[in-house]
Amino acid sequence: GQQVMQIPQYQHVQEGEDFTTYCNSSTTLSNIQWYKQRPGGHPVFLIQLVKSGEVKKQKRLTFQFGEAKKNSSLHITATQTTDVGTYFCTNAGGTSYGKLTFGQGTILTVHP
Amino acid sequence: EAGVAQSPRYKIIEKRQSVAFWCNPISGHATLYWYQQILGQGPKLLIQFQNNGVVDDSQLPKDRFSAERLKGVDSTLKIQPAKLEDSAVYLCASSATSGRAREQYFGPGTRLTVT
């Protein structure tokens, strides 16, 4: 899969503030998958976006896939301390047997 | 359903020694992956199996790393001899199918320290 660039690398917020991380690619992506990894834990699948302009919500989390399928975002409303961790976006290459290529991710710290 | 199992959880060895990691994927998952995650980085795919065949090992350092998935279920990853830069968490993941994107389920990982 093609590697996507993710920003910011780090984000520190106060509990209750919103948080957004962005993924960008220079080429059109077949899909985007988002994973969360808690400190000391393993990546956990959050969601997959496939369609242009797709928006999906999971409680306080909102995921978007750009119209051109070259970017994606994850927005968390009113962060909680349980949101702490690293958020990765990945592209599972459309033709390469689901191979994921992870970037560095965005490390989120939430101060109570 | 039971998740991906890995053992051991932690391993400390000296450089030039050998080590092996074991993974048992979720029952019925045809695709198995081994990742290396160095501290502060995202996971890097080492090898991917579809049943008992290798579909991608382009990033596996084959001079020292080997992996097998006999009978298309359990898998082992071996390092021989280990180097200091092999210190990392080794993650195993599985997914229900390949050929199109499917979510991957990760095991807890094995934290390897090479001294």
Side-chain angles (χ1 to χ4, degrees):
Chain A
Q2 305 129 301
Q3 185 163 353
V4 291
M5 302 305 295
Q6 197 170 346
I7 56 171
Q9 190 172 351
Y10 303 93
Q11 186 73 60
H12 308 275
V13 299
Q14 288 293 131
E15 190 172 19
E17 292 182 338
D18 292 356
F19 158 76
T20 305
T21 175
Y22 301 90
C23 280
N24 296 291
S25 171
S26 58
T27 58
T28 302
L29 303 170
S30 55
N31 60 77
I32 280 278
Q33 292 187 359
W34 285 91
Y35 289 79
K36 176 185 177 181
Q37 185 172 24
R38 290 188 168 158
H42 57 275
V44 175
F45 175 80
L46 294 176
I47 209 157
Q48 177 172 280
L49 305 173
V50 179
K51 299 176 183 176
S52 169
E54 190 169 14
V55 178
K56 289 188 177 180
K57 292 189 176 183
Q58 291 179 350
K59 297 183 180 178
R60 295 178 295 104
L61 277 61
T62 302
F63 303 85
Q64 289 188 309
F65 202 7
E67 293 289 342
K69 299 183 75 173
K70 290 185 176 181
N71 55 72
S72 180
S73 64
L74 159 59
H75 179 82
I76 302 178
T77 303
T79 54
Q80 300 176 359
T81 53
T82 53
D83 296 325
V84 164
T86 303
Y87 292 84
F88 294 100
C89 62
T90 74
N91 172 227
T95 60
S96 58
Y97 296 93
K99 173 181 177 180
L100 297 180
T101 304
F102 286 83
Q104 280 190 306
T106 294
I107 299 171
L108 173 64
T109 305
V110 180
H111 300 285
Chain B
E1 68 184 357
V4 176
Q6 288 188 248
S7 67
R9 292 295 310 277
Y10 305 91
K11 190 74 177 179
I12 301 174
I13 61 172
E14 295 182 351
K15 59 184 178 184
R16 291 187 288 274
Q17 286 187 324
S18 62
V19 63
F21 313 125
W22 174 81
C23 172
N24 182 234
I26 292 173
S27 178
H29 279 193
T31 311
L32 185 147
Y33 313 79
W34 282 103
Y35 290 88
Q36 179 193 58
Q37 186 172 26
I38 293 172
L39 188 64
Q41 299 181 15
K44 182 181 86 171
L45 180 69
L46 293 176
I47 190 167
Q48 178 178 343
F49 293 93
Q50 173 70 8
N51 295 309
N52 61 350
V54 176
V55 296
D56 190 329
D57 62 357
S58 56
Q59 298 192 95
L60 185 74
K62 299 179 185 65
D63 58 332
R64 298 184 300 107
F65 286 64
S66 64
E68 60 182 11
R69 191 184 183 197
L70 300 176
K71 300 181 182 178
V73 183
D74 293 9
S75 178
T76 56
L77 176 69
K78 297 179 181 178
I79 307 175
Q80 182 179 13
K83 293 185 176 181
L84 296 176
E85 58 260 36
D86 298 331
S87 293
V89 175
Y90 290 84
L91 294 162
C92 178
S94 69
S95 65
T97 187
S98 69
R100 62 187 181 98
R102 286 277 188 167
E103 61 266 31
Q104 295 187 15
Y105 296 85
F106 286 79
T110 296
R111 183 175 299 277
L112 173 67
T113 302
V114 182
T115 62

